[in-house]
Amino acid sequence: MPLNQIPTRAQMLSKNILTAIAFVSFAAVGAALLSQHLLDMLPCAWCILQRMIFILIGVVAMLGAIVPARPIRRVALIATLVLSALGIAAAWHQWTVAAAQFSCDQTLADRIVSGSGLDATMPWLFGIYATCMDASVSILGLDFAVWSLLLYAVFAIAALVGLRATKSR
């Protein structure tokens, strides 16, 4: 291997960050599916929107980790940061507003999920089966939406660390 093809410490750090984000993001979706299908914790529209964001983050991070080009990694880290911010906003809204509402019908989350057609195509993954109020569940003393919010915040911080690493040569 030529000397110029040996990955730098910064390249390895950004790759490892993206790999970890992808793995944890897909694991979060897996945990949500286990909660839904084994524990009967049915998701609302905001839950499904967050699930969609986690999947997008996982795919973007995985692609960024696989492609060795520095500009692609930077784009993946920036996209992860933006998607994490959107996830934080969705989780915050679910926790502070939607959880107190009797219905998620015709909310932004419901329109996005229904408009994507994924709820009809893959109802086992993207089906909306509960109202926002019914979907509000605590795990270890924290609302499920708060756990999502915290995970999105960790992803955002990790993406910032990765961006800082890719900035240096």
Side-chain angles (χ1 to χ4, degrees):
M1 173 182 279
L3 204 56
N4 64 351
Q5 289 185 356
I6 297 173
T8 66
R9 187 170 180 224
Q11 289 169 331
M12 289 304 297
L13 178 62
S14 63
K15 178 183 179 177
N16 291 341
I17 286 171
L18 286 166
T19 301
I21 288 172
F23 178 76
V24 173
S25 190
F26 291 135
V29 174
L33 288 170
L34 286 174
S35 299
Q36 175 183 342
H37 295 289
L38 295 180
L39 303 176
D40 290 326
M41 293 172 57
L42 300 178
C44 69
W46 287 98
C47 299
I48 297 300
L49 179 61
Q50 289 173 67
R51 196 177 287 186
M52 293 167 78
I53 295 169
F54 276 123
I55 290 170
L56 284 172
I57 288 172
V59 168
V60 166
M62 183 175 53
L63 290 173
I66 291 170
V67 178
R70 183 172 167 252
I72 300 298
R73 288 228 171 108
R74 284 189 60 77
V75 168
L77 288 163
I78 291 167
T80 298
L81 181 60
V82 170
L83 288 167
S84 296
L86 292 173
I88 289 169
W92 179 263
H93 181 81
Q94 179 182 359
W95 181 46
T96 60
V97 177
Q101 295 176 333
F102 290 107
S103 175
C104 300
D105 193 33
Q106 295 305 309
T107 62
L108 176 63
D110 184 53
R111 289 191 305 252
I112 290 171
V113 173
S114 299
S116 73
L118 292 172
D119 56 333
T121 310
M122 293 184 275
W124 60 273
L125 181 58
F126 298 113
I128 301 169
Y129 296 108
T131 66
C132 295
M133 189 178 280
D134 292 337
S136 182
V137 176
S138 282
I139 297 186
L140 300 175
L142 288 178
D143 193 276
F144 214 81
V146 175
W147 286 110
S148 288
L149 189 146
L150 292 172
L151 191 52
Y152 287 126
V154 168
F155 289 168
I157 292 167
L160 287 171
V161 169
L163 280 168
R164 183 169 170 87
T166 61
K167 208 172 194 182
S168 62
R169 284 212 174 246

